[in-house]
Amino acid sequence: MAALPFSTTCRHSSSPLHHNSKSSFIGFSQRNNIWQLFVITKSISRKSIRKLSVKNVASDEKQELKDPLAKRDTFYEFIPDSASIASSIKFHAEFTTPFSPEKFELNKAFFATAESVRDSLIINWNATNDYYERKNVKLAYYMSMEYLQGRALLNAIGNLQLLGPYAEALTKLGHNLEDVANKEPDAALGNGGLGRLASCFLDSLATLNYPAWGYGLRYKYGLFKQHITRDGQVEVAENWLEMGNPWEILRNDVTYPVKFYGEVIPGPNGSKQWVGGENILAVAYDVPIPGYKTRTTINLRLWSTKVSQEEFDLQAFNSGDHAKAYAVLKNAEKICYVLYPGDESIEGKTLRLKQQYTLCSASLQDIIARFEKRSGKRVNWDTLPDKVVVQMNDTHPTLCIPELIRILMDVKGLSWEKAWNITKRTVAYTNHTILPEALEKWSLTLLQDLLPRHVEIIRMIDEELIHEIISEYGIDDLDLFQQRLKKMRILENIELPSSVMELLSTEETSTVDPVKVIDVEGNDVMANEKEEKKDENDDDDDDEEEEVGEEGKEEEYDENLSIEEDTDNKVEVRFKVDPKLPMMVRMANLCVAGGFSVNGVAAIHSKIVKDEVFNEFYELWPEKFQNKTNGVTPRRWIRFCNPDLSKIITKWIGTEDWVTDLEKLAILRKFADNEDLQLEWIEAKRRNKIKVASFLKDKTGYVVNPSAMFDVQVKRIHEYKRQLLNIMGIVYRYKRMKELSAEERKEMFVPRVCIFGGKAFATYVQAKRIVKFITDVGATINRDPEIGDLLKVVFVPDYNVSVAEMLIPGSELSQHISTAGMEASGTSNMKFSMNGCILIGTLDGANVEIREEVGEDNFFLFGARA
């Protein structure tokens, strides 16, 4: 993520997250059946929890807090033990969970435990934000339509270094920590790698002490819950919020208006006002994100949508028209119902666009309000890029660019030039795909209807871009200029701005050769002849000009006019709009033009971005383009999900520092041939495979042999990811087995369990057919007594983060066989590699860099190259 250095000018102001509480960690003890407050008194090791610090993004230097927090914050001196944790859990079970008090069952135990953990997070959370306020640091704001977080309980407890005390406390209360943690539903805020990357970023930003916030939407029903039936995939709404979410804090005092439709009218001093239309409110829900072994706890702010209660039509309700009574309320609320609603219809497209704009508008209003608060009475807008960077995760938040300009111009009164300059230095863009269908385009008609002011601003940006192209390359070669516009313009199949047409007409006119009109032997036939060079005798030329007279001058004027008209026609024809094609707004081009940085997410992907997808932009602005290979958090993906392997790594390396510095894993190389390490490694894998086998039986009913090789392909179902190729290979293997005798089969084939998982988008027909094909093949093979345990095919329904945390530690071969050049990076390949799994894959995305790290001998290379 690109960011500029921040200032450390000190400002004293209260945190927007603060609860007006100066207490330390608070637990509760029970004495004579009366709950009493008490302060934890166990001493903390200063080595285990780092003091708050801030990293300078440019120099990577730390700035330690000069006034130690220990003097102001008693929590820094104390951590909870199992007894105080048990008391805290009992308090929340009694007073704060949404369950009746009679029983202390698993669901109730989960909520009480989570709220107990949240107490600790809130203290660190407030301290972190107070610290950022005092230091007046530059903050990175990560904008993403999705966050695939997974379960939070074990991750939070692990980051706080409290796994042992919480496990012991729950044992005292009659429960097992793992059983309690399994009652937490996955947060349904994401779908695939895009959302998982966003969540990993937040975890790592907190762990590395970078000042940052995340912004997203609070989806009530998520993407969907996947059921597998005889007919294939069936989608039902997620129910993750059915019992509430113990991690979120509703901020009723943090709301912002968001407008749709309406019209734009002139305002004072040449400004514009966007009036009328449909108005909703975005309400903030905050989720604390703790770092590992650090007090830094950053914020994920999610927006929900509503309208004021006055919009409820009580008269219509009482008259029996109930649908009309709450129509406005439901229209606002549905914006945050579903992640990626189907967009085959105009209603679906409109809803998606509303979602994207709600994220951008509410978040930017919040960012501006926080910047103004920290700036004090005198706001210097030129310093906004020094204090704020907005990182757009793919093209979904593209409307941040025109929205920031709108706020600066129409609300704060800045000029176009100043607003545009500030925006270009504030916003950055991460590209996640080279697939044309994923490089978003929006109908200009839809945008014009829904966001009329933003279309005006986008037209101005498009005009600025065209003029910059002309300034850099000129317009001598109109064919080449036309080709550049075809690739680089933000507006597609839309007329050129008048200022550009004037330039083109002028240039075309200046290149037209003057002509003479000659009467050939008195006939009506006129011949055009190019004017010859002037005679060296200037006097003769002057005399000839004098003889022309006024009548000749009029003819010459008419002739020049006809040339200009003809030139205008030629330019219009060359750059004309095709009425058969739609007029579109290309969001990726807007991102590149409106931001200071563009990054790909793997070395090969970034090369394709520069050489193919945005080559013309790269030639114009090479300094904007960079690579940032995706990553994953080793806390969740080894330390917490694979404790057996983690203990082995720590034992042989001699330190647990690898959890925050994976370079230290290289120390294991010198023990690679050690038989004791190999035996320990094999045993850890065996235990994980037994867990996977039990999980598969519970989820699918299929019984698999843990001694078989576990061959796994889990990812979003898509043609380019080639699950179809994998299952066709399995069909071929099955057919070969059937042609052999039982003895020949056992000799030729290793027992294998082929595991699939992933969701097909609800309207992606071909992907859903692939899911059905996989499940049908599995049903056939798994019931064949001749094959038995030699080959099994299992499709795991409703694949999510928690399922991945179960499958990945027990996997031995993982398939990453996307069509080369189409996978931007991939992150599951990293998770499998980290857990001691061999990859088979194409030279695509991060596979390239993984192969370089592990060595060619430890990577099964497959397929054509990009």
Side-chain angles (χ1 to χ4, degrees):
M1 176 161 29
L4 299 176
F6 52 74
S7 165
T8 55
T9 305
C10 182
R11 289 191 184 275
H12 295 276
S13 56
S14 61
S15 165
L17 297 170
H18 218 288
H19 287 255
N20 296 320
S21 171
K22 296 182 180 178
S23 64
S24 63
F25 178 90
I26 294 186
F28 296 87
S29 63
Q30 188 177 23
R31 184 179 299 168
N32 299 325
N33 294 323
I34 298 175
W35 293 94
Q36 295 180 328
L37 288 172
F38 78 98
V39 178
I40 295 148
T41 57
K42 186 174 179 180
S43 174
I44 187 172
S45 167
R46 289 174 181 265
K47 292 182 180 179
S48 63
I49 301 291
R50 287 174 282 160
K51 290 189 293 184
L52 277 176
S53 63
V54 170
K55 277 194 175 180
N56 184 310
V57 180
S59 65
D60 211 32
E61 295 176 353
K62 291 184 181 179
Q63 299 174 350
E64 295 290 347
L65 195 65
K66 292 182 180 178
D67 50 331
L69 289 172
K71 294 181 181 179
R72 304 185 303 104
D73 196 336
T74 54
F75 172 69
Y76 186 74
E77 296 295 333
F78 308 104
I79 59 171
D81 58 16
S82 60
S84 59
I85 287 172
S87 295
S88 176
I89 292 172
K90 286 194 289 185
F91 168 79
H92 284 292
E94 178 80 13
F95 292 106
T96 66
T97 61
F99 296 93
S100 58
E102 289 83 12
K103 298 178 181 179
F104 188 64
E105 296 178 334
L106 281 174
N107 282 326
K108 185 175 181 179
F110 160 67
F111 259 81
T113 304
E115 288 173 330
S116 169
V117 176
R118 195 182 73 172
D119 290 343
S120 299
L121 298 184
I122 287 174
I123 294 163
N124 287 349
W125 196 18
N126 288 331
T128 300
N129 283 279
D130 286 345
Y131 182 84
Y132 291 164
E133 292 288 323
R134 292 198 309 277
K135 290 292 183 180
N136 194 20
V137 298
K138 178 174 185 173
L139 273 134
Y141 294 100
Y142 199 76
M143 297 278 195
S144 181
M145 283 297 289
E146 52 172 301
Y147 291 89
L148 196 59
Q149 291 179 284
R151 293 168 175 162
L153 181 60
L154 289 181
N155 190 72
I157 294 173
N159 280 356
L160 289 169
Q161 298 291 283
L162 294 175
L163 280 169
Y166 266 93
E168 187 177 338
L170 284 167
T171 300
K172 292 177 181 178
L173 296 173
H175 289 298
N176 175 276
L177 174 58
E178 187 174 345
D179 293 337
V180 171
N182 285 336
K183 284 299 176 182
E184 179 178 8
D186 276 40
L189 299 171
N191 175 35
L194 188 76
R196 187 56 232 158
L197 175 72
S199 294
C200 283
F201 255 132
L202 295 186
D203 178 277
S204 295
L205 285 164
T207 298
L208 297 172
N209 296 312
Y210 285 112
W213 273 35
Y215 281 104
L217 295 182
R218 181 180 179 267
Y219 302 105
K220 187 174 182 179
Y221 302 117
L223 183 71
F224 58 81
K225 184 183 286 289
Q226 181 192 54
H227 290 173
I228 300 298
T229 69
R230 292 183 64 180
D231 297 323
Q233 172 182 294
V234 175
E235 306 88 21
V236 298
E238 285 273 10
N239 60 349
W240 75 290
L241 289 174
E242 189 174 40
M243 294 187 296
N245 179 9
W247 304 108
E248 67 185 15
I249 297 176
L250 169 62
R251 304 295 191 194
N252 279 316
D253 58 330
V254 183
T255 62
Y256 295 99
V258 179
K259 182 186 290 294
F260 305 108
Y261 305 108
E263 61 178 338
V264 181
I265 62 173
N269 302 319
S271 64
K272 297 290 184 72
Q273 292 183 351
W274 184 17
V275 298
E278 174 187 312
N279 297 284
I280 65 166
L281 289 175
V283 185
Y285 286 76
D286 286 344
V287 180
I289 307 294
Y292 178 74
K293 284 190 177 182
T294 176
R295 295 202 58 196
T296 300
T297 302
I298 63 175
N299 191 40
L300 170 59
R301 178 158 283 179
L302 303 171
W303 301 106
S304 186
T305 47
K306 67 175 188 177
V307 292
S308 62
Q309 297 305 309
E310 288 79 7
E311 297 289 343
F312 181 74
D313 192 339
L314 188 59
Q315 184 177 357
F317 188 86
N318 287 330
S319 67
D321 194 349
H322 299 157
K324 179 183 177 184
Y326 54 73
V328 177
L329 278 69
K330 291 299 180 184
N331 193 45
E333 291 172 0
K334 73 179 182 182
I335 291 173
C336 291
Y337 274 175
V338 175
L339 169 66
Y340 301 141
D343 60 354
E344 298 296 314
S345 65
I346 186 64
E347 291 80 10
K349 289 182 173 65
T350 301
L351 185 56
R352 277 214 192 186
L353 194 54
K354 280 186 172 184
Q355 287 183 333
Q356 294 186 5
Y357 180 61
T358 298
L359 170 64
C360 297
S361 181
S363 302
L364 282 169
Q365 289 181 72
D366 194 44
I367 291 168
I368 293 295
R370 287 164 52 78
F371 172 74
E372 288 181 308
K373 180 175 177 290
R374 291 166 61 189
S375 297
K377 294 181 179 179
R378 299 183 64 182
V379 179
N380 180 0
W381 292 105
D382 289 329
T383 64
L384 181 68
D386 300 324
K387 297 298 179 185
V388 168
V389 60
V390 176
Q391 186 75 34
M392 301 183 297
N393 192 28
D394 214 358
T395 54
H396 307 127
T398 306
L399 289 168
C400 282
I401 294 170
E403 175 66 2
L404 180 54
I405 294 172
R406 183 193 70 82
I407 293 172
L408 293 175
M409 289 180 65
D410 299 353
V411 181
K412 304 304 176 183
L414 274 62
S415 67
W416 155 254
E417 289 78 11
K418 198 165 189 177
W420 174 229
N421 181 265
I422 290 170
T423 300
K424 286 192 297 182
R425 295 188 293 123
T426 303
V427 178
Y429 164 52
T430 298
N431 173 272
H432 281 274
T433 183
I434 62 170
L435 298 177
E437 66 269 22
L439 291 171
E440 284 188 301
K441 295 181 182 181
W442 284 104
S443 161
L444 180 70
T445 304
L446 175 58
L447 264 172
Q448 178 71 55
D449 188 34
L450 193 68
L451 302 170
R453 178 59 176 139
H454 296 75
V455 169
E456 290 185 353
I457 293 170
I458 290 170
R459 285 184 180 275
M460 295 167 74
I461 297 172
D462 184 62
E463 186 172 358
E464 286 279 347
L465 173 62
I466 295 172
H467 280 290
E468 185 153 357
I469 294 169
I470 291 172
S471 176
E472 179 69 21
Y473 300 110
I475 50 177
D476 293 339
D477 188 336
L478 286 183
D479 289 331
L480 184 58
F481 176 65
Q482 189 175 16
Q483 291 172 20
R484 284 199 177 98
L485 292 189
K486 189 175 181 180
K487 289 288 189 71
M488 299 177 72
R489 277 198 75 184
I490 296 163
L491 301 177
E492 181 179 85
N493 196 40
I494 295 170
E495 71 283 351
L496 288 172
S498 57
S499 62
V500 177
M501 290 296 290
E502 290 173 8
L503 274 175
L504 293 175
S505 298
T506 303
E507 177 68 18
E508 187 79 2
T509 302
S510 66
T511 61
V512 175
D513 292 330
V515 298
K516 271 187 179 179
V517 181
I518 303 173
D519 188 342
V520 182
E521 296 182 352
N523 295 327
D524 292 335
V525 180
M526 308 297 290
N528 290 341
E529 177 181 278
K530 286 188 177 181
E531 184 179 17
E532 297 176 354
K533 292 182 180 180
K534 287 187 178 181
D535 192 275
E536 292 181 359
N537 188 339
D538 291 336
D539 292 335
D540 291 345
D541 289 344
D542 291 340
D543 291 340
E544 183 178 61
E545 186 176 335
E546 287 174 5
E547 291 174 2
V548 170
E550 293 298 325
E551 185 177 345
K553 287 182 180 179
E554 287 179 10
E555 291 176 359
E556 184 180 15
Y557 174 79
D558 292 339
E559 176 192 315
N560 290 336
L561 183 61
S562 66
I563 292 171
E564 291 175 7
E565 289 174 349
D566 184 55
T567 300
D568 288 342
N569 290 334
K570 286 181 180 178
V571 171
E572 288 176 7
V573 169
R574 183 187 291 270
F575 297 97
K576 72 176 181 178
V577 173
D578 188 340
K580 296 179 182 178
L581 297 176
M583 296 185 291
M584 308 296 287
V585 179
R586 298 191 279 196
M587 307 307 269
N589 288 15
L590 179 54
C591 286
V592 178
F596 68 84
S597 172
V598 179
N599 74 277
V601 291
I604 187 173
H605 169 240
S606 295
K607 186 175 188 304
I608 293 171
V609 164
K610 291 189 291 188
D611 294 349
E612 297 177 28
V613 183
F614 297 125
N615 179 251
E616 291 76 13
F617 285 106
Y618 175 64
E619 291 176 350
L620 181 62
W621 298 310
E623 71 284 354
K624 278 192 181 187
F625 289 79
Q626 54 177 289
N627 176 59
K628 290 288 182 291
T629 298
N630 280 351
V632 299
T633 165
R635 273 75 62 190
R636 181 179 289 273
W637 294 110
I638 306 184
R639 178 64 184 83
F640 303 145
C641 79
N642 197 346
D644 290 338
L645 181 59
S646 297
K647 289 173 185 175
I648 294 169
I649 293 171
T650 299
K651 171 187 171 181
W652 287 86
I653 288 179
T655 176
E656 205 178 39
D657 291 350
W658 63 269
V659 180
T660 53
D661 182 8
L662 285 179
E663 296 291 334
K664 286 186 166 38
L665 291 179
I667 296 173
L668 287 172
R669 283 189 178 131
K670 62 185 178 183
F671 303 114
D673 296 326
N674 188 292
E675 290 188 8
D676 291 336
L677 171 59
Q678 291 175 357
L679 289 173
E680 290 176 19
W681 198 283
I682 291 169
E683 177 59 20
K685 181 66 73 174
R686 187 188 70 83
R687 287 197 293 267
N688 285 324
K689 290 178 68 179
I690 291 172
K691 291 179 184 177
V692 171
S694 175
F695 173 80
L696 294 178
K697 182 181 179 182
D698 181 55
K699 290 291 182 182
T700 69
Y702 289 129
V703 177
V704 301
N705 181 7
S707 298
M709 180 174 69
F710 284 6
D711 177 351
V712 182
Q713 187 180 22
V714 284
K715 51 186 75 249
R716 178 168 52 93
I717 309 298
H718 198 289
E719 287 165 278
Y720 89 84
K721 292 181 183 288
R722 301 206 285 198
Q723 288 95 345
L724 180 60
L725 180 64
N726 188 4
I727 190 64
M728 291 296 285
I730 293 169
V731 170
Y732 175 78
R733 183 180 294 114
Y734 173 65
K735 288 172 67 66
R736 289 280 295 120
M737 287 179 174
K738 295 290 286 182
E739 294 168 357
L740 302 174
S741 66
E743 292 75 16
E744 289 172 327
R745 281 195 292 269
K746 288 183 179 179
E747 185 177 340
M748 290 186 62
F749 292 97
V750 173
R752 182 185 301 236
V753 178
C754 300
I755 302 171
F756 291 84
K759 295 180 179 180
F761 190 65
T763 58
Y764 191 174
V765 175
Q766 184 68 351
K768 294 177 74 170
R769 291 176 67 195
I770 292 171
V771 171
K772 177 165 170 48
F773 183 45
I774 293 170
T775 57
D776 288 349
V777 169
T780 300
I781 294 176
N782 298 343
R783 294 190 180 100
D784 190 330
E786 290 186 2
I787 302 302
D789 286 341
L790 204 56
L791 181 62
K792 296 288 185 184
V793 178
V794 182
F795 190 98
V796 182
D798 204 37
Y799 178 70
N800 56 23
V801 174
S802 297
V803 174
E805 290 171 345
M806 175 60 68
L807 295 180
I808 290 174
S811 300
E812 292 165 302
L813 176 67
S814 181
Q815 308 231 7
H816 303 271
I817 55 175
S818 58
T819 305
M822 288 192 174
E823 186 74 85
S825 171
T827 54
S828 64
N829 45 11
M830 304 175 193
K831 298 163 195 168
F832 281 101
S833 292
M834 286 161 54
N835 283 273
C837 179
I838 299 296
L839 305 188
I840 177 171
T842 50
L843 275 183
D844 196 25
N847 283 355
V848 177
E849 291 153 89
I850 290 174
R851 184 167 178 257
E852 290 172 357
E853 287 293 323
V854 303
E856 295 181 7
D857 293 342
N858 299 311
F859 186 99
F860 293 111
L861 185 61
F862 167 79
R865 306 191 178 206

